[in-house]
Amino acid sequence: MRVSWHERFADTPDVLKSPRLSQTVIPVLDFEIGGGNFITMAGPCSVETEAQLLATAHHVRHAGAQILRGGAFKPRSSPYAFQGHGLEGLKMLAHARQQTGLAIVTEVMSEEDVPLVAEYADILQIGSRNMENYALLEARSGRPILLKRGMVATIADLLRSAQIVLDNGNPNVILCERGIRTFETALRNTFDVAAIALIKQISHLPIIADPSHAAGSSDLVPALARVAVAAGADGLIVEVHPDPEKAWSDGDQSLDFAAFDAMMESIKPYLALCHPMQSERSSARRVPALRPRQAACVHAMEAAG
Ligand code: PEP
Ligand code: MN
């Protein structure tokens, strides 16, 4: 029997597509997320120094990114690891936006920090470890939320957390698949590409992929990025560092500039197939019906299964 996704996800009605809303399009600075253009967020795991951040920002902008990522408040598994520069990091991010025109996405870890982070960032990231932090989900920021899937969260759990943000008056949620914990231990996480395909099918919220935290290893990031594009992701968030070996956090999975350029080049054929609107700027609030090439992309994925 064919599964009724609407029945299966009945407790999160507002995140599901409806006749009223088939696609949420989120305006950020002068572009949109979810509107058919593919969006790349790129930058270091942590904001370290002004020089590191600015070099990365200029580089990723020239390579086609629209958004600079970088953690100022860092959730770290070890209490002895670098916890981020806090306010100083936010100021460096704002300076990088002013220098490059890139929008800023950065993590907020507690509801008390929401007003401060919202003052500096264009998009607030709620990280995997906080996907079920209800006080944080309920905090009113006035900014779009990048909601990362928890490492042991089901798709239903992710959608429930998104529903909470929507219920608290913020319609602008971007979902993010960043890999989950499974019995497989060779990689940092298991990249759940099916989650992207399913969420594209059932939810009106944009969904992006984080191949960096999924893979944990820079040599696998481009392949996971290509797979994410083919599954219909609305964008990527990728860790990039001028000198990954010297990174203060997540160096193993960070791309250097040359590797980022090569990744951006390698996703182009997949974008041409799955995001034909990439080079057109769309301001439509609703996504148009599938174009023939998009349908071919979806069908190619289905056939591959
Ligand atoms: C990050 O983006 O640097 C991060 C900590 O991500 P996640 O919450 O997915 O682990
Ligand atoms: Mn990281």
Side-chain angles (χ1 to χ4, degrees):
M1 202 177 85
R2 203 179 165 85
V3 185
S4 163
W5 299 116
H6 272 73
E7 273 170 40
R8 181 167 291 185
F9 297 104
D11 60 346
T12 54
D14 299 330
V15 307
L16 301 181
K17 285 184 187 175
S18 70
R20 192 184 56 80
L21 184 58
S22 61
Q23 180 64 49
T24 287
V25 179
I26 301 176
V28 179
L29 298 187
D30 63 345
F31 59 90
E32 293 169 334
I33 303 176
N37 288 307
F38 190 82
I39 296 300
T40 303
M41 312 183 181
C45 178
S46 308
V47 176
E48 298 170 5
T49 65
E50 193 85 51
Q52 169 242 21
L53 190 65
L54 281 179
T56 310
H58 283 294
H59 190 89
V60 300
R61 185 175 69 87
H62 286 299
Q66 295 82 5
I67 301 175
L68 177 66
R69 64 147 289 146
F73 294 93
K74 294 300 303 174
R76 302 306 301 280
S77 306
S78 163
Y80 308 110
F82 175 56
Q83 309 289 319
H85 286 306
L87 176 58
E88 282 315 304
L90 295 177
K91 288 183 178 165
M92 287 192 235
L93 286 164
H95 184 229
R97 173 180 47 215
Q98 185 241 323
Q99 293 288 303
T100 62
L102 290 170
I104 301 298
V105 60
T106 194
E107 180 157 359
V108 58
M109 286 171 53
S110 105
E111 72 275 19
E112 283 121 52
D113 294 334
V114 164
L116 178 71
V117 180
E119 205 182 307
Y120 288 88
D122 301 289
I123 301 172
L124 304 192
Q125 174 173 322
I126 297 185
S128 295
R129 292 157 193 80
N130 274 312
M131 193 206 80
E132 293 186 359
N133 178 339
Y134 297 107
L136 188 52
L137 295 171
E138 288 167 6
R140 299 195 177 225
S141 65
R143 296 282 184 204
I145 300 293
L146 175 61
L147 180 62
K148 298 188 90 176
R149 182 176 179 182
M151 44 190 111
V152 292
T154 64
I155 294 169
D157 294 333
L158 174 64
L159 298 184
R160 270 191 284 271
S161 290
Q163 174 83 35
I164 291 169
V165 181
L166 299 186
D167 279 350
N168 282 276
N170 190 346
N172 293 328
V173 178
I174 305 147
L175 303 171
C176 180
E177 164 57 39
R178 47 76 75 205
I180 50 173
R181 286 224 170 125
T182 66
F183 57 81
E184 176 55 71
T185 54
L187 302 177
R188 181 171 182 180
N189 289 292
T190 298
F191 185 47
D192 186 5
V193 70
I196 297 173
L198 175 59
I199 288 170
K200 277 312 298 172
Q201 197 168 307
I202 63 174
S203 176
H204 56 81
L205 296 174
I207 175 155
I208 68 165
D210 176 345
S212 308
H213 290 86
S217 188
S218 56
D219 48 359
L220 286 166
V221 168
L224 299 196
R226 291 192 292 273
V227 167
V229 177
D234 295 292
L236 295 172
I237 180 164
V238 181
E239 288 186 339
V240 180
H241 193 283
D243 188 355
E245 289 198 357
K246 299 209 173 89
W248 298 6
S249 60
D250 283 350
D252 288 350
Q253 67 196 32
S254 299
L255 301 178
D256 64 18
F257 293 168
F260 181 67
D261 293 351
M263 185 208 78
M264 292 296 274
E265 203 52 41
S266 86
I267 63 175
K268 280 186 181 161
Y270 300 84
L271 285 173
L273 188 61
C274 302
H275 277 268
M277 286 166 70
Q278 176 62 20
S279 53
E280 306 162 21
R281 285 276 171 195
S282 162
S283 58
R285 288 298 300 178
R286 297 276 168 83
V287 140
L290 275 191
R291 292 175 178 201
R293 276 199 299 174
Q294 275 173 297
C297 174
V298 172
H299 293 150
M301 287 292 293
E302 283 165 0

